[in-house]
Amino acid sequence: MYRTGDLVRWHPDGNLEYLGRRDLQVKIRGHRIELGEIEATLTTHPDITHAAVTVHHDHHTGDRLVGYVVPRNHTPLDPTMIHTFAADHLPDYMVPTPITILDALPLTTNGKIDRRALPAPAPLNRQFRPPVTPTENTIADVFTDVLGHDRIGLDDDFFTLGGNSLLAIQVSARLREALDVEMQVAWLFTGATVEAIASRVEAVSDGSTPIVPTGPSAFDVLFPITSAGDSDPIFCIHPASGLAWCYAGLARYTEPRRRIYGLQSPELVEDDPHPRSIEQLAGHYVREIQAVQPDGPYHLLGWSLGGVIAHAVATRLRLLGKQVSMLAILDSRFREAESTANQEFTVEDILVELADLFGFGAEDFDAAGETMSAEQATELIHLRTGAFEFLQPSHVKRIVESFNDAPRLVADYHPAVFDGDMLFFAAAAGEMTQEVAESCWQPYITGSIDYYPIDATHIRMTTPRALADIARVLNTYLVDAVS
């Protein structure tokens, strides 16, 4: 026997239905994607019999996924509804756009999909409401230019039209300059139509909505990701980089009107940056949290080093008599510092760690050559992203220092016991099994540990796919917590 690479569905009657190939792996904007996985998901729709997904190159948006589906018994299909179905079942970076309806898929002589014979993707047929106000027209013009579409209306969604996180950074920078307003990338993740963005811009312009600066204040200790809403916020504590920018994608998947704040290391901006202890950081972050939310219930989340600090924040809040309803830990352990205590992180190491954040893969540059300086790294980030103009070499140096401080902080930390439960999200591709997680954390909490494996490596726990999976659990947990 041998593995054919064919992906099939085994029906109860014993018949095998051929769905596609498992080895059709592509890479789109740093994400390795199995096309067969997307095709199999599309065919779970009750009105679809066959599906094909391929990569289409566009000189505006670059490579993107496009889909083709065949309806069951010639059932009329709405491509927009199929796109919504795909978005409900797949991470955003795996959703093909557009999706074209075909009578049949082209086949090779041996009966498999002939991807080379697939037609050009059909343009999106959408109801058009033209922009009216100057703000709406400016946003539509920027969308048109960046995405390469002929016309953009009020209801057109940036991501549905082929946008991605890297293009979102470019759009926010363009709109910031054109509209003279502190346009936030996060706005595109919480409402990506022209009309929604225009509403946010106009609300900021008339002073009714506070904004988050994108210049030097992007390094503030309290970093609002989404500050509009009336639900108790989630406070997301930075990993070893000291930055909480990695949590920005969470806003797209959490329930509407859920505020999200990042907590970032004061090490990034203070003249005497090195924090003395995790306890010191926890005290600082409690004060920042209570400035936004004086009383509980509090919801805390932290990845890697941030998980350890979140635990310290939770115990401190409990000592103050406050309620902590959620402590969510993303692949953190107390003694991970033992293996890295003598490791000195370099600028190249930091670029590898932050590659997803800046939108390029670690393999896109050669970190094995001569030593890279902070100045060279800053220039690379500006060149590759067309954004992050506010990031200076001094920031890169302090990010490196933050990474190098992390092992010492964890090694010196003597945790108290948190009298509550824990949500633990483990990188399934790593070594954090449920047994390891429980042996690490159970001595330091009185409640239960709910273990959730996430299909990711440790350094990819805040990619869109991982955050989508994590948010599904958080949404259910937070609803249950108030019911």
Side-chain angles (χ1 to χ4, degrees), residues 35 93 145 152 222 276 291 349 369 404-405 433 444 462 483:
L35 298 182
Y93 66 88
D145 188 39
I152 301 289
L222 185 70
R276 291 187 297 275
D349 295 327
N404 284 317
D405 280 337
T433 64
Y444 305 106
T462 55
S483 60

Side-chain angles (χ1 to χ4, degrees), residues 264-287:
Q264 306 192 121
S265 173
E267 183 171 5
L268 301 179
V269 292
E270 292 181 356
D271 293 332
D272 182 19
H274 301 284
R276 291 187 297 275
S277 66
I278 283 180
E279 290 86 350
Q280 177 196 25
L281 288 174
H284 191 155
Y285 297 161
V286 166
R287 292 190 295 273

